[in-house]
Amino acid sequence: MRPPYWLKAKRALAAADPSMGRIIASYPRIALASRGDPFATLARSIVGQQISVKAADAVWARLVACCPELTPRAVLRRRATTLRACGLSERKVEYLVDLARYFERDHIDLPRLRSATDEEVIARLTEIRGIGRWTAEMFLIFNLLRPDVLPLDDIGLLKAVSLHYLDNVSTAELLGRAGRARVTALAQCWAPWRSVATWYLWRSLDPVPVAY
């Protein structure tokens, strides 16, 4: 089910930014959806770190085949060699196992996360080994459905911004301090719906929605 603010956000973004309005109009029947399971969202984000969406989808499919019920306990029951055979690096296996242990030991207070601010959620999640700001931002967007997240470390977002707004400036340049400031300034007109704008920019590169 799409977020309750989706239609309002689409209208506001189209009114504020004609370029964004054209992108939104190209994808009229799809919307952001939450996977619903916090562990799966964070696990999927770990899988997707620093690899392409296509590669992440392939690894994720093998992991789900290995653990049909993708729960913390199921992950902890698998050998590291079995998890690596899914296409995970040794480091990502360590991160995934650490995440499973956190959930098994109830170290994550989910009700408290849901009531926390975006920055409080990021601060809490990044205490977990293997979870950086980008992974926490994916959790905010895809699990908590927060409407105003701008993930400046996301290569897909930067590629789309470069393509549609900045005459194909290199993503390496946009990852620098000046580039980040430039993207942040450009995105001001999307607030308070920057998650929605980001989602549509992702669609402009890949029409098939990713579910974290």
Side-chain angles (χ1 to χ4, degrees):
M1 190 173 80
R2 70 187 178 198
Y5 55 75
W6 199 257
L7 291 179
K8 179 180 179 180
K10 286 173 61 175
R11 287 192 291 266
L13 287 167
D17 181 347
S19 295
M20 181 62 64
R22 287 190 290 272
I23 295 170
I24 290 171
S26 299
Y27 305 97
R29 288 181 291 276
I30 55 176
L32 171 67
S34 172
R35 186 182 295 276
D37 176 30
F39 176 74
T41 297
L42 290 170
R44 177 65 178 80
S45 298
I46 287 173
V47 167
Q49 289 172 0
Q50 299 180 328
I51 60 176
S52 70
V53 171
K54 184 177 180 180
D57 284 345
V59 175
W60 182 253
R62 289 193 290 270
L63 180 61
V64 171
C66 172
C67 300
E69 292 185 12
L70 194 69
T71 62
R73 185 165 297 180
V75 168
L76 291 173
R77 286 175 175 170
R78 299 302 187 273
R79 294 178 181 273
T81 52
T82 301
L83 295 174
R84 284 200 297 272
C86 296
L88 292 165
S89 67
E90 185 173 351
R91 184 61 57 86
K92 284 186 179 180
V93 169
E94 293 173 3
Y95 292 164
L96 191 60
V97 169
D98 281 354
L99 179 67
R101 286 175 179 150
Y102 260 83
F103 272 80
E104 275 290 279
R105 296 168 183 169
D106 293 323
H107 286 176
I108 295 180
D109 187 340
L110 294 174
R112 186 174 179 181
L113 280 184
R114 293 187 181 105
S115 64
T117 67
D118 290 355
E119 288 301 322
E120 287 170 345
V121 172
I122 290 169
R124 176 65 187 91
L125 291 180
T126 53
E127 293 174 356
I128 303 171
R129 184 168 177 252
I131 295 183
R133 186 176 181 92
W134 177 85
T135 304
E137 287 170 337
M138 294 305 101
F139 185 83
L140 285 169
I141 293 172
F142 286 96
N143 190 273
L144 298 182
L145 299 177
R146 297 292 175 86
D148 196 33
V149 180
L150 184 69
L152 291 172
D153 293 321
D154 188 86
I155 298 299
L157 170 64
L158 299 182
K159 284 182 178 178
V161 167
S162 175
L163 175 65
H164 295 291
Y165 295 93
L166 299 177
D167 296 323
N168 288 309
V169 170
S170 73
T171 53
E173 183 176 337
L174 294 180
L175 282 168
R177 182 178 297 179
R180 289 169 184 267
R182 192 175 180 185
V183 175
T184 300
L186 185 153
Q188 285 181 351
C189 70
W190 304 335
W193 312 113
R194 288 177 293 182
S195 299
V196 182
T198 296
W199 190 90
Y200 278 107
L201 286 167
W202 284 332
R203 298 289 70 71
S204 74
L205 300 180
D206 184 356
V208 180
V210 176
Y212 280 94

